[in-house]
Amino acid sequence: LVRLLSVKEAQSRIVSQLNIVSTTSVSIERANGRVLAEDIVANSSFPPFSNSSMDGFAVKAEDVRGATELEPVVLKIVADIPAGAPTSTILEIGQAARIMTGAPLPQGANAVVPIESTNLVNDSIDASLPDVVQIFKPVDEGAYIRNRGEDLQAGQRVLQTGRKLSPQDIGALAALGNSNVKVYHRPKIALFSTGDELVLPGETPGPGQIINSNSYALAALIEQHGGEVLILPIARDNAREVRDRFEEAVDSKADLILTSAGVSVGAYDFVRPVVEEQGQLDFWRVNMRPGKPLAFGSFKKVPVIGLPGNPVSAFIGFLVFVLPAIHKMAGLPAPSRRMVKAIISHPIESDGRESYLRAVISNDRGKITAALASHQGSGNLFSLVEANALLILPSGVKSSPIGSELDAWLLDETLAL
Ligand code: AMP
Ligand code: MG
């Protein structure tokens, strides 16, 4: 009797035997969505120098304390400081310097009066600067100044290894002076379906034939999760073709080989014997529904995951086992699942295996409810199109009455509930 592995055990066996891929350097223009392979530490403070956050006049706050519209304080203009140039001005009592947003604050100034609080608000930038400015409002010390180092201190870690880079991270990388960044390669996954019955999309299936959908759904999943995919041709149900596909996968320098179907114990299931010939294979029965048969091993030292052939089993098997594998290889932390608690609107039966049931989740006046998708057969790919979540029935639970609350794993990360 083959012992049933728990889903958790199977996941951790797979993850523990996979290695993280190597690193490469990419330009920041190409780095969005890539996984960072170095810690990014600020090598200088940010902002790098104290500067004005407004167009206006750099002043000493003490000088303008009593300023009003009726009795403005008059200051002598001693400098004009645009952004992008250094300033050697040292402000004395009774003096002001015109300053633009982002321009360095002159020594001696401790505040900026916005241009709107002066008599020069309507002057064009091209008009010659008068000798004096009238200040209509007081400002607090420090007003409208962005101090050196207030965003970031030199030596502070900004981004951590293993982070999937977002557009704001790219901005931070640029601001910190990185034109290139070290990232992990995308894990390369070679994928093939097996089966005498399969034809390609666009071909007309003959009697008894069906269209290969798994290769495409699995390839899309791989790409969506940051892998690089190579779809190999279908292997017919004979040892030679299956062996050829494995050899091609190895030649392609794949980090992982993913197969669909042919992993059961049927007379025409060749994935297992071929892998056993050239490597080693653990064939597992996982305590899971759908997708009990799962193969894991290696072919010429390249890891292999063999998924079942039924489209729903293959899809869910990917989410449960291949996704954590990709994360491990890609240098990412374990995948997180978007989970909600949902109240089921039918009674649910299962056989005690950890079950992943296709469901449609909705928000019914503040109550998150789950209805099962119309048909739960593991061959019914279209029920996955209809579903927006997988209800998880824990192992050992054979039935769940209507109105009970179950964990739902949302398939659509962006679903608004
Ligand atoms: P198997 O694991 O080979 O016994 O296949 C199980 C079921 O999945 C059978 O009904 C197959 O026809 C179907 N199947 C196998 N491979 C694919 C595929 N690539 N695309 C869609 N269905 C498949
Ligand atoms: Mg088959």
Side-chain angles (χ1 to χ4, degrees):
L1 194 91
V2 190
R3 187 173 80 88
L4 288 184
L5 276 186
S6 75
V7 170
K8 251 200 154 79
E9 266 177 302
Q11 284 169 330
S12 65
R13 281 203 199 182
I14 292 173
V15 165
S16 69
Q17 290 184 59
L18 293 173
N19 297 316
I20 192 162
V21 297
S22 57
T23 63
T24 181
S25 173
V26 294
S27 114
I28 56 171
E29 288 149 71
R30 306 235 61 92
N32 190 30
R34 300 299 299 267
V35 182
L36 191 61
E38 60 180 335
D39 285 345
I40 300 295
V41 174
N43 53 13
S44 60
S45 297
F46 217 86
F49 49 88
S50 296
N51 66 91
S52 177
S53 68
M54 294 286 270
D55 292 336
F57 284 84
V59 299
K60 291 178 182 292
E62 316 79 271
D63 276 351
V64 300
R65 195 157 289 143
T68 65
E69 294 263 349
L70 290 176
E71 287 184 62
V73 169
V74 177
L75 298 175
K76 184 162 187 267
I77 301 174
V78 294
D80 190 15
I81 312 170
T87 175
S88 57
T89 300
I90 301 175
L91 218 61
E92 307 286 352
I93 292 171
Q95 297 183 341
R98 186 165 77 166
I99 193 165
M100 299 298 146
T101 303
L105 196 74
Q107 273 189 56
N110 61 15
V112 170
V113 175
I115 193 84
E116 294 83 354
S117 304
T118 74
N119 65 316
L120 302 180
V121 59
N122 293 320
D123 277 25
S124 103
I125 192 89
D126 301 323
S128 68
L129 203 54
D131 292 337
V132 295
V133 57
Q134 296 179 11
I135 309 289
F136 298 138
K137 268 190 201 160
V139 280
D140 290 334
E141 194 174 323
Y144 305 110
I145 292 173
R146 301 188 283 218
N147 285 305
R148 174 186 155 82
E150 76 176 30
D151 295 350
L152 212 55
Q153 293 291 324
Q156 227 173 303
R157 186 173 67 190
V158 182
L159 300 170
Q160 202 178 344
T161 299
R163 183 177 173 99
K164 188 171 175 193
L165 293 169
S166 66
Q168 49 273 49
D169 298 342
I170 303 295
L173 284 167
L176 293 170
N178 303 279
S179 52
N180 291 290
V181 63
K182 195 167 149 192
V183 297
Y184 291 107
H185 277 114
R186 297 181 200 279
K188 182 166 185 180
I189 301 174
L191 161 71
F192 64 91
S193 286
T194 67
D196 279 340
E197 73 277 35
L198 302 176
V199 301
L200 297 180
E203 291 176 352
T204 306
Q209 295 185 319
I210 61 159
I211 297 171
N212 170 17
S213 59
N214 286 351
S215 289
Y216 306 97
L218 294 170
L221 281 166
I222 291 166
E223 286 196 331
Q224 179 153 321
H225 294 285
E228 188 188 319
V229 66
L230 174 68
I231 304 182
L232 296 171
I234 295 162
R236 299 301 165 198
D237 288 325
N238 62 71
R240 188 184 51 78
E241 285 203 25
V242 172
R243 195 179 299 118
D244 286 351
R245 288 302 102 77
F246 274 115
E247 294 287 356
E248 286 166 43
V250 171
D251 291 345
S252 79
K253 302 263 186 300
D255 298 301
L256 173 71
I257 304 169
L258 192 61
T259 67
S260 145
V263 284
S264 306
V265 288
Y268 293 93
D269 293 332
F270 288 99
V271 170
R272 204 151 76 103
V274 166
V275 174
E276 275 168 342
E277 216 175 77
Q278 300 278 348
Q280 116 296 323
L281 189 79
D282 291 321
F283 174 67
W284 302 334
R285 292 184 175 278
V286 181
N287 185 28
M288 171 177 171
R289 198 183 141 196
K292 183 161 68 173
L294 182 80
F296 178 66
S298 60
F299 184 93
K300 295 193 168 172
K301 303 211 163 67
V302 182
V304 176
I305 299 179
L307 293 173
N310 272 311
V312 176
S313 309
F315 195 92
I316 295 177
F318 183 98
L319 294 179
V320 173
F321 300 110
V322 185
L323 193 50
I326 292 180
H327 274 239
K328 169 76 183 281
M329 292 187 294
L332 285 166
S336 60
R337 294 177 177 179
R338 192 173 162 213
M339 303 292 299
V340 295
K341 296 269 183 207
I343 302 197
I344 53 175
S345 55
H346 328 277
I348 290 179
E349 309 278 313
S350 191
D351 61 359
R353 285 183 281 166
E354 180 168 318
S355 300
Y356 295 77
L357 302 138
R358 282 144 276 163
V360 179
I361 301 275
S362 58
N363 187 333
D364 184 10
R365 279 169 267 123
K367 217 171 73 175
I368 308 293
T369 54
L372 283 186
S374 45
H375 185 296
Q376 294 288 324
S378 57
N380 185 352
L381 179 62
F382 303 103
S383 64
L384 263 178
V385 175
E386 177 194 352
N388 59 15
L390 297 173
L391 282 178
I392 303 180
L393 213 57
S395 90
V397 178
K398 291 195 170 165
S399 72
S400 209
I402 182 168
S404 52
E405 202 177 60
L406 286 180
D407 288 321
W409 175 6
L410 299 185
L411 293 172
D412 177 358
E413 295 283 322
T414 61
L415 182 73
L417 276 176

